[in-house]
Amino acid sequence: QVQLVESGGGLVQAGGSLRLSCAASGNINSINFMGWHRQAPGKGRELVAVMRRSGRTHYADSVKGRFTISRDNANNTLYLQMNSLKPEDTAMYYCAATLKLEYWGQGTQVTVSS
């Protein structure tokens, strides 16, 4: 089992930056990959970025070149650096970890004003 706690969301103007953090605890060594998802009001949840255990990353086309996923193994923390934010990036952002099952954090709200 894995516990995930996100932080770092907030209100930012378009063009600004935020860095989200996801602190992981529990059975960390069994995590196959971790990622960030988001859900905007009235829309389904979508994958934003994912990092495999190997370090290989994948990004949604909508965030490529603006967002960067990274991790700090020493502190068991996953990050999402978000630059050049747009109003359409407004959503609840969730951290997820996949072992045999998938685990989710409680989410952190990101609001980008125009």
Short mmCIF file of all heavy atoms in Angstrom, two decimals, residues 39-106:
data_model
loop_
_atom_site.label_atom_id
_atom_site.label_comp_id
_atom_site.label_asym_id
_atom_site.label_seq_id
_atom_site.Cartn_x
_atom_site.Cartn_y
_atom_site.Cartn_z
N GLN A 39 -8.24 16.87 -13.50
CA GLN A 39 -9.65 16.84 -13.85
C GLN A 39 -10.22 18.24 -13.73
O GLN A 39 -10.22 18.81 -12.64
CB GLN A 39 -10.42 15.86 -12.97
CG GLN A 39 -11.86 15.68 -13.39
CD GLN A 39 -12.53 14.50 -12.73
OE1 GLN A 39 -12.05 13.98 -11.72
NE2 GLN A 39 -13.62 14.03 -13.31
N ALA A 40 -10.66 18.76 -14.85
CA ALA A 40 -11.30 20.07 -14.87
C ALA A 40 -12.80 19.91 -14.63
O ALA A 40 -13.35 18.83 -14.88
CB ALA A 40 -11.04 20.75 -16.21
N PRO A 41 -13.47 20.95 -14.17
CA PRO A 41 -14.91 20.86 -13.91
C PRO A 41 -15.66 20.41 -15.16
O PRO A 41 -15.47 20.96 -16.26
CB PRO A 41 -15.28 22.29 -13.52
CG PRO A 41 -14.03 22.87 -12.97
CD PRO A 41 -12.92 22.26 -13.77
N GLY A 42 -16.50 19.40 -15.00
CA GLY A 42 -17.31 18.92 -16.10
C GLY A 42 -16.59 18.05 -17.11
O GLY A 42 -17.16 17.68 -18.14
N LYS A 43 -15.33 17.73 -16.83
CA LYS A 43 -14.55 16.91 -17.75
C LYS A 43 -14.03 15.66 -17.06
O LYS A 43 -14.03 15.58 -15.82
CB LYS A 43 -13.38 17.72 -18.31
CG LYS A 43 -13.80 18.91 -19.18
CD LYS A 43 -12.59 19.55 -19.82
CE LYS A 43 -13.01 20.69 -20.75
NZ LYS A 43 -11.83 21.31 -21.41
N GLY A 44 -13.59 14.72 -17.86
CA GLY A 44 -13.02 13.51 -17.31
C GLY A 44 -11.59 13.71 -16.85
O GLY A 44 -10.96 14.72 -17.16
N ARG A 45 -11.09 12.74 -16.09
CA ARG A 45 -9.72 12.82 -15.62
C ARG A 45 -8.78 12.48 -16.77
O ARG A 45 -9.03 11.53 -17.52
CB ARG A 45 -9.52 11.87 -14.46
CG ARG A 45 -8.23 12.06 -13.72
CD ARG A 45 -8.20 11.25 -12.43
NE ARG A 45 -9.18 11.72 -11.45
CZ ARG A 45 -9.24 11.27 -10.21
NH1 ARG A 45 -8.39 10.34 -9.79
NH2 ARG A 45 -10.16 11.73 -9.38
N GLU A 46 -7.71 13.24 -16.92
CA GLU A 46 -6.75 12.99 -18.00
C GLU A 46 -5.33 12.90 -17.45
O GLU A 46 -4.98 13.55 -16.46
CB GLU A 46 -6.82 14.10 -19.06
CG GLU A 46 -6.43 15.47 -18.58
CD GLU A 46 -6.29 16.49 -19.71
OE1 GLU A 46 -6.21 16.08 -20.88
OE2 GLU A 46 -6.24 17.69 -19.40
N LEU A 47 -4.53 12.09 -18.13
CA LEU A 47 -3.13 11.96 -17.77
C LEU A 47 -2.39 13.22 -18.20
O LEU A 47 -2.54 13.69 -19.32
CB LEU A 47 -2.52 10.74 -18.46
CG LEU A 47 -1.02 10.54 -18.28
CD1 LEU A 47 -0.70 10.18 -16.84
CD2 LEU A 47 -0.49 9.47 -19.23
N VAL A 48 -1.56 13.72 -17.30
CA VAL A 48 -0.72 14.88 -17.61
C VAL A 48 0.71 14.44 -17.90
O VAL A 48 1.28 14.78 -18.92
CB VAL A 48 -0.74 15.89 -16.44
CG1 VAL A 48 0.22 17.04 -16.71
CG2 VAL A 48 -2.15 16.39 -16.18
N ALA A 49 1.29 13.68 -16.98
CA ALA A 49 2.67 13.23 -17.14
C ALA A 49 2.87 12.01 -16.28
O ALA A 49 2.25 11.88 -15.22
CB ALA A 49 3.65 14.32 -16.75
N VAL A 50 3.75 11.13 -16.72
CA VAL A 50 4.04 9.91 -15.97
C VAL A 50 5.53 9.62 -16.05
O VAL A 50 6.18 9.93 -17.06
CB VAL A 50 3.21 8.73 -16.49
CG1 VAL A 50 3.58 8.38 -17.92
CG2 VAL A 50 3.37 7.50 -15.58
N MET A 51 6.07 9.04 -14.97
CA MET A 51 7.46 8.64 -14.93
C MET A 51 7.53 7.19 -14.50
O MET A 51 6.97 6.81 -13.47
CB MET A 51 8.27 9.52 -13.97
CG MET A 51 9.71 9.09 -13.82
SD MET A 51 10.67 10.16 -12.73
CE MET A 51 11.01 11.53 -13.83
N ARG A 52 8.22 6.38 -15.29
CA ARG A 52 8.41 4.97 -14.95
C ARG A 52 9.53 4.84 -13.92
O ARG A 52 10.30 5.77 -13.69
CB ARG A 52 8.75 4.18 -16.21
CG ARG A 52 7.64 4.16 -17.22
CD ARG A 52 8.01 3.31 -18.44
NE ARG A 52 6.95 3.31 -19.43
CZ ARG A 52 5.93 2.46 -19.41
NH1 ARG A 52 5.84 1.56 -18.45
NH2 ARG A 52 5.01 2.52 -20.34
N ARG A 53 9.62 3.64 -13.35
CA ARG A 53 10.68 3.38 -12.39
C ARG A 53 12.04 3.65 -13.01
O ARG A 53 12.97 4.11 -12.35
CB ARG A 53 10.59 1.93 -11.90
CG ARG A 53 11.56 1.58 -10.78
CD ARG A 53 11.81 0.10 -10.72
NE ARG A 53 10.58 -0.61 -10.43
CZ ARG A 53 10.34 -1.19 -9.24
NH1 ARG A 53 11.20 -1.09 -8.27
NH2 ARG A 53 9.22 -1.86 -9.05
N SER A 54 12.17 3.37 -14.31
CA SER A 54 13.44 3.56 -15.04
C SER A 54 13.79 5.04 -15.19
O SER A 54 14.93 5.38 -15.52
CB SER A 54 13.34 2.93 -16.41
OG SER A 54 12.35 3.60 -17.20
N GLY A 55 12.81 5.91 -15.00
CA GLY A 55 13.03 7.34 -15.20
C GLY A 55 12.47 7.85 -16.51
O GLY A 55 12.44 9.06 -16.75
N ARG A 56 12.04 6.93 -17.35
CA ARG A 56 11.45 7.34 -18.63
C ARG A 56 10.15 8.09 -18.36
O ARG A 56 9.38 7.71 -17.49
CB ARG A 56 11.19 6.11 -19.50
CG ARG A 56 10.74 6.44 -20.90
CD ARG A 56 10.76 5.18 -21.77
NE ARG A 56 10.36 5.48 -23.14
CZ ARG A 56 10.36 4.58 -24.12
NH1 ARG A 56 10.74 3.34 -23.87
NH2 ARG A 56 10.00 4.94 -25.33
N THR A 57 9.92 9.14 -19.16
CA THR A 57 8.76 9.99 -18.94
C THR A 57 7.86 10.04 -20.17
O THR A 57 8.30 9.77 -21.30
CB THR A 57 9.19 11.42 -18.58
OG1 THR A 57 9.99 11.96 -19.65
CG2 THR A 57 9.99 11.44 -17.29
N HIS A 58 6.63 10.41 -19.93
CA HIS A 58 5.66 10.60 -21.00
C HIS A 58 4.77 11.77 -20.60
O HIS A 58 4.38 11.90 -19.44
CB HIS A 58 4.81 9.34 -21.20
CG HIS A 58 3.66 9.54 -22.13
ND1 HIS A 58 3.81 9.57 -23.50
CD2 HIS A 58 2.34 9.78 -21.89
CE1 HIS A 58 2.64 9.78 -24.06
NE2 HIS A 58 1.73 9.91 -23.11
N TYR A 59 4.47 12.61 -21.61
CA TYR A 59 3.64 13.78 -21.35
C TYR A 59 2.45 13.83 -22.30
O TYR A 59 2.53 13.40 -23.45
CB TYR A 59 4.46 15.06 -21.57
CG TYR A 59 5.61 15.25 -20.60
CD1 TYR A 59 6.87 14.74 -20.89
CD2 TYR A 59 5.42 15.92 -19.40
CE1 TYR A 59 7.92 14.91 -20.01
CE2 TYR A 59 6.46 16.10 -18.50
CZ TYR A 59 7.71 15.59 -18.82
OH TYR A 59 8.75 15.76 -17.95
N ALA A 60 1.37 14.40 -21.81
CA ALA A 60 0.25 14.70 -22.69
C ALA A 60 0.69 15.78 -23.68
O ALA A 60 1.49 16.65 -23.33
CB ALA A 60 -0.94 15.19 -21.87
N ASP A 61 0.16 15.71 -24.89
CA ASP A 61 0.56 16.68 -25.91
C ASP A 61 0.29 18.11 -25.45
O ASP A 61 1.03 19.04 -25.78
CB ASP A 61 -0.20 16.41 -27.21
CG ASP A 61 0.30 15.17 -27.92
OD1 ASP A 61 1.42 14.71 -27.61
OD2 ASP A 61 -0.43 14.65 -28.78
N SER A 62 -0.76 18.29 -24.68
CA SER A 62 -1.17 19.63 -24.27
C SER A 62 -0.18 20.30 -23.31
O SER A 62 -0.24 21.52 -23.12
CB SER A 62 -2.56 19.59 -23.63
OG SER A 62 -2.55 18.73 -22.51
N VAL A 63 0.71 19.52 -22.70
CA VAL A 63 1.63 20.11 -21.72
C VAL A 63 3.10 19.97 -22.14
O VAL A 63 3.98 20.48 -21.44
CB VAL A 63 1.43 19.50 -20.32
CG1 VAL A 63 -0.02 19.62 -19.89
CG2 VAL A 63 1.90 18.06 -20.26
N LYS A 64 3.36 19.29 -23.23
CA LYS A 64 4.74 19.10 -23.67
C LYS A 64 5.44 20.44 -23.87
O LYS A 64 4.88 21.36 -24.46
CB LYS A 64 4.77 18.31 -24.98
CG LYS A 64 4.61 16.82 -24.82
CD LYS A 64 4.68 16.11 -26.16
CE LYS A 64 4.47 14.62 -25.99
NZ LYS A 64 4.45 13.91 -27.30
N GLY A 65 6.65 20.52 -23.35
CA GLY A 65 7.42 21.75 -23.47
C GLY A 65 7.12 22.77 -22.39
O GLY A 65 7.84 23.77 -22.25
N ARG A 66 6.06 22.55 -21.62
CA ARG A 66 5.69 23.49 -20.54
C ARG A 66 5.82 22.85 -19.15
O ARG A 66 6.19 23.52 -18.19
CB ARG A 66 4.26 23.98 -20.73
CG ARG A 66 4.03 24.72 -22.04
CD ARG A 66 2.65 25.36 -22.08
NE ARG A 66 1.57 24.39 -21.99
CZ ARG A 66 0.63 24.41 -21.05
NH1 ARG A 66 0.63 25.34 -20.12
NH2 ARG A 66 -0.34 23.49 -21.05
N PHE A 67 5.50 21.58 -19.05
CA PHE A 67 5.51 20.88 -17.77
C PHE A 67 6.69 19.90 -17.74
O PHE A 67 7.04 19.31 -18.77
CB PHE A 67 4.23 20.09 -17.56
CG PHE A 67 2.99 20.92 -17.35
CD1 PHE A 67 2.98 22.29 -17.55
CD2 PHE A 67 1.82 20.31 -16.92
CE1 PHE A 67 1.83 23.05 -17.35
CE2 PHE A 67 0.66 21.04 -16.70
CZ PHE A 67 0.67 22.41 -16.93
N THR A 68 7.23 19.71 -16.55
CA THR A 68 8.31 18.74 -16.36
C THR A 68 8.05 17.91 -15.12
O THR A 68 7.85 18.47 -14.03
CB THR A 68 9.67 19.44 -16.22
OG1 THR A 68 9.92 20.25 -17.37
CG2 THR A 68 10.79 18.41 -16.10
N ILE A 69 8.06 16.60 -15.28
CA ILE A 69 7.90 15.69 -14.15
C ILE A 69 9.29 15.26 -13.70
O ILE A 69 10.18 15.01 -14.52
CB ILE A 69 7.03 14.47 -14.53
CG1 ILE A 69 6.68 13.65 -13.30
CG2 ILE A 69 7.68 13.63 -15.63
CD1 ILE A 69 5.65 12.55 -13.57
N SER A 70 9.47 15.20 -12.39
CA SER A 70 10.76 14.78 -11.84
C SER A 70 10.52 14.12 -10.49
O SER A 70 9.41 14.19 -9.94
CB SER A 70 11.72 15.97 -11.70
OG SER A 70 11.21 16.92 -10.78
N ARG A 71 11.57 13.52 -9.95
CA ARG A 71 11.42 12.87 -8.65
C ARG A 71 12.69 13.05 -7.83
O ARG A 71 13.79 13.19 -8.37
CB ARG A 71 11.09 11.39 -8.81
CG ARG A 71 12.22 10.56 -9.36
CD ARG A 71 11.79 9.13 -9.66
NE ARG A 71 12.89 8.37 -10.24
CZ ARG A 71 12.73 7.27 -10.95
NH1 ARG A 71 11.52 6.78 -11.15
NH2 ARG A 71 13.78 6.64 -11.44
N ASP A 72 12.50 13.02 -6.54
CA ASP A 72 13.60 13.05 -5.58
C ASP A 72 13.52 11.73 -4.81
O ASP A 72 12.70 11.58 -3.91
CB ASP A 72 13.43 14.26 -4.66
CG ASP A 72 14.53 14.36 -3.62
OD1 ASP A 72 15.27 13.38 -3.43
OD2 ASP A 72 14.65 15.42 -2.99
N ASN A 73 14.36 10.79 -5.18
CA ASN A 73 14.29 9.46 -4.57
C ASN A 73 14.64 9.51 -3.08
O ASN A 73 14.10 8.75 -2.29
CB ASN A 73 15.22 8.50 -5.30
CG ASN A 73 14.73 8.18 -6.69
OD1 ASN A 73 13.53 8.18 -6.96
ND2 ASN A 73 15.66 7.91 -7.60
N ALA A 74 15.53 10.39 -2.71
CA ALA A 74 15.96 10.47 -1.32
C ALA A 74 14.80 10.89 -0.41
O ALA A 74 14.72 10.47 0.75
CB ALA A 74 17.11 11.45 -1.17
N ASN A 75 13.91 11.72 -0.95
CA ASN A 75 12.78 12.22 -0.16
C ASN A 75 11.45 11.62 -0.58
O ASN A 75 10.40 12.06 -0.09
CB ASN A 75 12.72 13.75 -0.25
CG ASN A 75 13.89 14.41 0.43
OD1 ASN A 75 14.17 14.13 1.60
ND2 ASN A 75 14.60 15.26 -0.30
N ASN A 76 11.49 10.62 -1.47
CA ASN A 76 10.27 9.94 -1.92
C ASN A 76 9.21 10.93 -2.38
O ASN A 76 8.03 10.86 -2.00
CB ASN A 76 9.70 9.07 -0.77
CG ASN A 76 10.66 7.99 -0.35
OD1 ASN A 76 11.37 7.43 -1.17
ND2 ASN A 76 10.69 7.71 0.94
N THR A 77 9.64 11.87 -3.20
CA THR A 77 8.74 12.92 -3.64
C THR A 77 8.77 13.04 -5.16
O THR A 77 9.84 13.00 -5.77
CB THR A 77 9.12 14.27 -3.01
OG1 THR A 77 9.08 14.15 -1.59
CG2 THR A 77 8.15 15.36 -3.44
N LEU A 78 7.58 13.17 -5.73
CA LEU A 78 7.41 13.39 -7.15
C LEU A 78 7.01 14.84 -7.35
O LEU A 78 6.23 15.39 -6.55
CB LEU A 78 6.32 12.47 -7.70
CG LEU A 78 6.07 12.50 -9.21
CD1 LEU A 78 7.19 11.75 -9.93
CD2 LEU A 78 4.72 11.88 -9.54
N TYR A 79 7.54 15.46 -8.40
CA TYR A 79 7.24 16.86 -8.66
C TYR A 79 6.63 17.04 -10.04
O TYR A 79 6.81 16.22 -10.94
CB TYR A 79 8.51 17.71 -8.59
CG TYR A 79 9.19 17.68 -7.25
CD1 TYR A 79 10.32 16.88 -7.05
CD2 TYR A 79 8.73 18.45 -6.20
CE1 TYR A 79 10.95 16.86 -5.82
CE2 TYR A 79 9.35 18.44 -4.97
CZ TYR A 79 10.45 17.64 -4.78
OH TYR A 79 11.08 17.62 -3.56
N LEU A 80 5.91 18.13 -10.20
CA LEU A 80 5.46 18.56 -11.51
C LEU A 80 5.70 20.06 -11.60
O LEU A 80 5.02 20.85 -10.94
CB LEU A 80 3.98 18.26 -11.73
CG LEU A 80 3.46 18.58 -13.14
CD1 LEU A 80 4.10 17.64 -14.17
CD2 LEU A 80 1.94 18.50 -13.22
N GLN A 81 6.72 20.44 -12.37
CA GLN A 81 7.00 21.84 -12.61
C GLN A 81 6.15 22.30 -13.77
O GLN A 81 6.25 21.74 -14.87
CB GLN A 81 8.48 22.05 -12.92
CG GLN A 81 8.85 23.49 -13.23
CD GLN A 81 8.71 24.41 -12.04
OE1 GLN A 81 9.09 24.07 -10.93
NE2 GLN A 81 8.14 25.60 -12.26
N MET A 82 5.33 23.30 -13.54
CA MET A 82 4.40 23.78 -14.56
C MET A 82 4.75 25.23 -14.90
O MET A 82 4.66 26.11 -14.05
CB MET A 82 2.96 23.69 -14.06
CG MET A 82 2.57 22.29 -13.59
SD MET A 82 0.83 22.15 -13.15
CE MET A 82 0.76 23.23 -11.73
N ASN A 83 5.17 25.45 -16.14
CA ASN A 83 5.53 26.78 -16.62
C ASN A 83 4.56 27.21 -17.72
O ASN A 83 3.85 26.39 -18.29
CB ASN A 83 6.96 26.78 -17.15
CG ASN A 83 7.98 26.43 -16.10
OD1 ASN A 83 7.82 26.73 -14.91
ND2 ASN A 83 9.07 25.79 -16.52
N SER A 84 4.57 28.49 -18.00
CA SER A 84 3.71 29.05 -19.07
C SER A 84 2.28 28.56 -18.92
O SER A 84 1.65 28.10 -19.88
CB SER A 84 4.27 28.66 -20.44
OG SER A 84 5.59 29.11 -20.60
N LEU A 85 1.76 28.67 -17.73
CA LEU A 85 0.42 28.15 -17.45
C LEU A 85 -0.65 28.90 -18.23
O LEU A 85 -0.54 30.11 -18.46
CB LEU A 85 0.14 28.21 -15.95
CG LEU A 85 0.81 27.10 -15.14
CD1 LEU A 85 0.88 27.47 -13.67
CD2 LEU A 85 0.07 25.79 -15.34
N LYS A 86 -1.67 28.16 -18.62
CA LYS A 86 -2.79 28.70 -19.38
C LYS A 86 -4.08 28.50 -18.60
O LYS A 86 -4.17 27.58 -17.77
CB LYS A 86 -2.90 27.96 -20.72
CG LYS A 86 -1.64 27.98 -21.56
CD LYS A 86 -1.82 27.13 -22.81
CE LYS A 86 -0.56 27.11 -23.65
NZ LYS A 86 -0.72 26.26 -24.86
N PRO A 87 -5.09 29.31 -18.87
CA PRO A 87 -6.38 29.10 -18.17
C PRO A 87 -6.92 27.69 -18.33
O PRO A 87 -7.55 27.15 -17.41
CB PRO A 87 -7.28 30.14 -18.84
CG PRO A 87 -6.36 31.23 -19.24
CD PRO A 87 -5.10 30.53 -19.67
N GLU A 88 -6.66 27.07 -19.47
CA GLU A 88 -7.15 25.70 -19.69
C GLU A 88 -6.42 24.66 -18.86
O GLU A 88 -6.80 23.49 -18.86
CB GLU A 88 -7.10 25.33 -21.18
CG GLU A 88 -5.77 25.58 -21.84
CD GLU A 88 -5.73 26.90 -22.59
OE1 GLU A 88 -6.20 27.93 -22.03
OE2 GLU A 88 -5.20 26.92 -23.72
N ASP A 89 -5.36 25.06 -18.16
CA ASP A 89 -4.69 24.15 -17.23
C ASP A 89 -5.40 24.10 -15.88
O ASP A 89 -5.04 23.30 -15.02
CB ASP A 89 -3.24 24.59 -17.00
CG ASP A 89 -2.39 24.47 -18.25
OD1 ASP A 89 -2.52 23.46 -18.96
OD2 ASP A 89 -1.58 25.39 -18.50
N THR A 90 -6.40 24.94 -15.69
CA THR A 90 -7.15 24.94 -14.45
C THR A 90 -7.82 23.60 -14.22
O THR A 90 -8.55 23.10 -15.07
CB THR A 90 -8.21 26.06 -14.48
OG1 THR A 90 -7.55 27.33 -14.52
CG2 THR A 90 -9.11 26.00 -13.24
N ALA A 91 -7.54 23.00 -13.08
CA ALA A 91 -8.07 21.67 -12.78
C ALA A 91 -7.63 21.26 -11.38
O ALA A 91 -6.78 21.92 -10.77
CB ALA A 91 -7.55 20.64 -13.79
N MET A 92 -8.22 20.17 -10.92
CA MET A 92 -7.70 19.50 -9.73
C MET A 92 -6.63 18.53 -10.23
O MET A 92 -6.88 17.74 -11.14
CB MET A 92 -8.81 18.75 -9.02
CG MET A 92 -8.38 18.09 -7.72
SD MET A 92 -8.04 19.29 -6.43
CE MET A 92 -9.73 19.66 -5.92
N TYR A 93 -5.46 18.62 -9.63
CA TYR A 93 -4.34 17.77 -10.03
C TYR A 93 -4.14 16.67 -9.00
O TYR A 93 -4.07 16.94 -7.80
CB TYR A 93 -3.07 18.61 -10.18
CG TYR A 93 -3.05 19.41 -11.46
CD1 TYR A 93 -3.90 20.50 -11.64
CD2 TYR A 93 -2.20 19.07 -12.50
CE1 TYR A 93 -3.90 21.22 -12.82
CE2 TYR A 93 -2.18 19.79 -13.68
CZ TYR A 93 -3.04 20.86 -13.84
OH TYR A 93 -3.04 21.58 -15.02
N TYR A 94 -4.03 15.45 -9.51
CA TYR A 94 -3.88 14.28 -8.64
C TYR A 94 -2.57 13.57 -8.95
O TYR A 94 -2.19 13.41 -10.11
CB TYR A 94 -5.02 13.30 -8.88
CG TYR A 94 -6.39 13.83 -8.55
CD1 TYR A 94 -7.16 14.45 -9.52
CD2 TYR A 94 -6.92 13.69 -7.27
CE1 TYR A 94 -8.42 14.94 -9.23
CE2 TYR A 94 -8.19 14.18 -6.96
CZ TYR A 94 -8.93 14.80 -7.95
OH TYR A 94 -10.18 15.28 -7.66
N CYS A 95 -1.96 13.09 -7.90
CA CYS A 95 -0.80 12.22 -8.01
C CYS A 95 -1.29 10.78 -7.93
O CYS A 95 -2.21 10.47 -7.16
CB CYS A 95 0.17 12.54 -6.87
SG CYS A 95 1.60 11.47 -6.76
N ALA A 96 -0.70 9.91 -8.72
CA ALA A 96 -1.08 8.50 -8.70
C ALA A 96 0.17 7.63 -8.75
O ALA A 96 1.16 7.98 -9.40
CB ALA A 96 -1.98 8.17 -9.89
N ALA A 97 0.09 6.51 -8.07
CA ALA A 97 1.19 5.54 -8.07
C ALA A 97 0.62 4.17 -8.41
O ALA A 97 -0.43 3.79 -7.88
CB ALA A 97 1.87 5.51 -6.71
N THR A 98 1.31 3.47 -9.27
CA THR A 98 0.83 2.16 -9.70
C THR A 98 1.77 1.07 -9.21
O THR A 98 2.97 1.09 -9.52
CB THR A 98 0.72 2.10 -11.23
OG1 THR A 98 -0.16 3.13 -11.68
CG2 THR A 98 0.17 0.74 -11.67
N LEU A 99 1.21 0.18 -8.44
CA LEU A 99 1.90 -1.04 -8.04
C LEU A 99 1.10 -2.17 -8.71
O LEU A 99 0.91 -2.13 -9.93
CB LEU A 99 1.90 -1.17 -6.52
CG LEU A 99 2.72 -0.16 -5.72
CD1 LEU A 99 2.09 1.22 -5.68
CD2 LEU A 99 2.96 -0.68 -4.29
N LYS A 100 0.63 -3.12 -7.95
CA LYS A 100 -0.35 -4.06 -8.50
C LYS A 100 -1.71 -3.37 -8.60
O LYS A 100 -2.52 -3.68 -9.47
CB LYS A 100 -0.45 -5.30 -7.62
CG LYS A 100 0.81 -6.17 -7.65
CD LYS A 100 0.62 -7.41 -6.82
CE LYS A 100 1.88 -8.28 -6.87
NZ LYS A 100 1.74 -9.50 -6.05
N LEU A 101 -1.94 -2.45 -7.71
CA LEU A 101 -3.13 -1.59 -7.74
C LEU A 101 -2.69 -0.16 -7.96
O LEU A 101 -1.50 0.15 -7.95
CB LEU A 101 -3.88 -1.71 -6.41
CG LEU A 101 -4.41 -3.09 -6.01
CD1 LEU A 101 -5.02 -3.03 -4.62
CD2 LEU A 101 -5.41 -3.58 -7.03
N GLU A 102 -3.67 0.70 -8.18
CA GLU A 102 -3.37 2.11 -8.38
C GLU A 102 -3.81 2.89 -7.13
O GLU A 102 -4.90 2.65 -6.61
CB GLU A 102 -4.10 2.63 -9.61
CG GLU A 102 -3.55 3.96 -10.12
CD GLU A 102 -4.06 4.27 -11.50
OE1 GLU A 102 -5.27 4.18 -11.73
OE2 GLU A 102 -3.23 4.61 -12.37
N TYR A 103 -2.94 3.79 -6.70
CA TYR A 103 -3.22 4.60 -5.53
C TYR A 103 -3.25 6.07 -5.92
O TYR A 103 -2.47 6.51 -6.78
CB TYR A 103 -2.15 4.36 -4.45
CG TYR A 103 -2.15 2.94 -3.94
CD1 TYR A 103 -1.41 1.96 -4.59
CD2 TYR A 103 -2.90 2.58 -2.83
CE1 TYR A 103 -1.43 0.65 -4.15
CE2 TYR A 103 -2.92 1.28 -2.37
CZ TYR A 103 -2.19 0.31 -3.04
OH TYR A 103 -2.21 -0.99 -2.60
N TRP A 104 -4.13 6.82 -5.26
CA TRP A 104 -4.33 8.22 -5.59
C TRP A 104 -4.20 9.11 -4.36
O TRP A 104 -4.58 8.70 -3.26
CB TRP A 104 -5.72 8.42 -6.20
CG TRP A 104 -5.90 7.74 -7.51
CD1 TRP A 104 -6.21 6.44 -7.73
CD2 TRP A 104 -5.74 8.33 -8.81
NE1 TRP A 104 -6.28 6.18 -9.07
CE2 TRP A 104 -5.99 7.33 -9.77
CE3 TRP A 104 -5.42 9.61 -9.26
CZ2 TRP A 104 -5.93 7.56 -11.15
CZ3 TRP A 104 -5.37 9.85 -10.62
CH2 TRP A 104 -5.61 8.83 -11.55
N GLY A 105 -3.72 10.32 -4.58
CA GLY A 105 -3.74 11.32 -3.54
C GLY A 105 -5.08 12.02 -3.53
O GLY A 105 -5.98 11.72 -4.31
N GLN A 106 -5.20 13.01 -2.64
CA GLN A 106 -6.47 13.70 -2.47
C GLN A 106 -6.64 14.84 -3.46
O GLN A 106 -7.73 15.37 -3.63
CB GLN A 106 -6.59 14.24 -1.04
CG GLN A 106 -5.88 15.56 -0.78
CD GLN A 106 -4.36 15.46 -0.75
OE1 GLN A 106 -3.80 14.37 -0.77
NE2 GLN A 106 -3.69 16.60 -0.70
#
